[in-house]
Amino acid sequence: MNKTKIKVAVVTGGGHGIGRALCRRLAKAGATVVVADIDIAAATAVAGEIGGIAKAVDVGNEHAVAGLVEEIEQAYGPIDMFISNAGVGFGDGKSGAISAEGGMNPVDDRWEPCWKVNVMAHVYAARALVPRMLERGGGHLVNVASAAGLLSQIGDAAYTVTKHAAVAFAESLAIEYGDAGVVVSVVCPQAVATRMIGIEDDSDSMEGGFRGNDVDGIMTPEAVADIIVDQALGGRFLILTHPEVTTYVQRKASDHDRWIKGMQRFRKQIS
Ligand SMILES: NC(=O)c1ccc[n+]([C@@H]2O[C@H](COP(=O)([O-])OP(=O)(O)OC[C@H]3O[C@@H](n4cnc5c(N)ncnc54)[C@H](O)[C@@H]3O)[C@@H](O)[C@H]2O)c1
């Protein structure tokens, strides 16, 4: 069942970027907002600003996610909206899509954190919340994937694959529980001005930051957060913050082989 008023919301990865903008937007709408992040300093700063609650959590740890849900519901009541927003991407390593080494931020194996944070975190949140939401007749699960989950992120195979999996998991959830009251949304943005694409929080130059909108299709986290909250409350499943993604997805679906050829050309252009 769609909730028009969100009393309690949890946003993972709420300390920075899109998550931070989501926290601000939900607080402005009157919700009690839990800012959950592995970066507790950032979560504390956001919670302080919006009058919310900061929680340190690694969303790749099922025990931590289940504990967070239990603790918040005990203290503040039912979670009306849980936004699984935390996400990671490391870029392909030196040998490209088949490599095992880390890319931009070297990690021993970049696939494992991508699976844990981009996919399993959504599973853990759903495991903790679906039975509760079914029992009380409703609630929103909002899973932030990426346009890379519908198309492809050139230069990051692990990100692309795990974001596809996140979209597929949201589809499974919506098919199974959607008509029993659990409102599932999956968000597939293109570029958003955050640290993930090399733009620091609150900086205002194009080198270190970005305050405008729609420059080269890059959107602000605030604009994206508004669309996410409005469309999730409206009960929308697929939230496309960047309108051009619809066209790209249609092109891919209408001729997959042609789309691959186009992506090969695009890869050459940008490399
Ligand atoms: N920025 C973009 O261009 C873009 C485009 C499409 C999708 N997305 C997705 O949007 C979401 C938010 O990304 P962002 O752009 O705001 O990036 P960001 O790096 O600014 O924020 C990500 C947040 O997630 C937190 N986080 C990372 N690992 C965590 C973990 N294990 N447990 C808890 N918190 C963790 C980080 O501390 C950070 O606060 C991600 O899922 C990302 O994949 C971003």
Side-chain angles (χ1 to χ4, degrees):
M1 186 197 308
N2 284 10
K3 301 254 175 187
T4 47
K5 175 101 183 107
I6 301 299
K7 286 198 197 121
V8 179
V10 177
V11 180
T12 72
H16 294 279
I18 298 170
R20 187 176 69 154
L22 285 164
C23 290
R24 288 175 172 159
R25 161 67 203 253
L26 288 161
K28 213 157 66 180
T32 297
V33 179
V34 178
V35 188
D37 207 295
I38 202 164
D39 180 349
I40 187 60
T44 304
V46 175
E49 175 199 318
I50 64 169
I53 302 120
K55 288 286 164 198
V57 63
D58 174 359
V59 295
N61 176 329
E62 179 162 20
H63 185 67
V65 174
L68 174 75
V69 167
E70 175 63 22
E71 187 190 339
I72 296 306
E73 295 217 339
Q74 285 282 340
Y76 304 100
I79 296 169
D80 299 309
M81 182 178 278
F82 190 103
I83 308 187
S84 289
N85 161 77
V88 290
F90 305 99
D92 286 336
K94 287 189 287 294
S95 48
I98 55 166
S99 73
E101 79 275 15
M104 284 170 0
N105 302 320
V107 285
D108 288 344
D109 180 348
R110 68 194 187 286
W111 282 82
E112 196 176 328
C114 283
W115 277 115
K116 283 221 164 117
V117 180
N118 297 346
V119 186
M120 293 314 294
H122 300 191
V123 178
Y124 301 152
R127 270 187 199 153
L129 278 157
V130 166
R132 294 169 190 257
M133 288 181 172
L134 289 176
E135 203 181 309
R136 54 190 179 238
H140 288 265
L141 292 176
V142 181
N143 293 347
V144 179
S146 168
L150 301 168
L151 301 160
S152 185
Q153 178 74 42
I154 293 172
D156 200 337
Y159 187 77
T160 301
V161 169
T162 54
K163 291 296 187 178
H164 272 71
V167 172
F169 178 60
E171 287 170 355
S172 295
L173 281 179
I175 291 165
E176 191 157 348
Y177 303 111
D179 57 6
V182 181
V183 185
V184 180
S185 300
V186 67
V187 187
C188 294
Q190 283 212 132
V192 185
T194 72
R195 299 182 319 159
M196 186 167 263
I197 62 163
I199 297 175
E200 277 304 320
D201 289 339
D202 286 333
S203 39
D204 55 9
S205 72
M206 203 57 198
E207 293 79 52
F210 177 77
R211 281 195 196 278
N213 212 10
D214 278 342
V215 175
D216 294 330
I218 302 175
M219 292 181 70
T220 61
E222 290 72 25
V224 165
D226 282 344
I227 295 170
I228 294 172
V229 173
D230 287 345
Q231 295 200 5
L233 286 175
R236 185 157 185 88
F237 173 71
L238 181 61
I239 301 180
L240 297 177
T241 52
H242 297 59
E244 59 272 29
V245 172
T246 307
T247 310
Y248 301 153
V249 169
Q250 283 165 349
R251 283 188 196 147
K252 180 178 175 182
S254 69
D255 192 339
H256 215 119
D257 284 55
R258 187 161 178 232
W259 178 80
I260 291 284
K261 289 215 159 37
M263 291 298 278
Q264 288 168 342
R265 279 197 301 275
F266 185 40
R267 180 178 164 275
K268 278 198 194 104
Q269 271 171 32
I270 60 176
S271 61

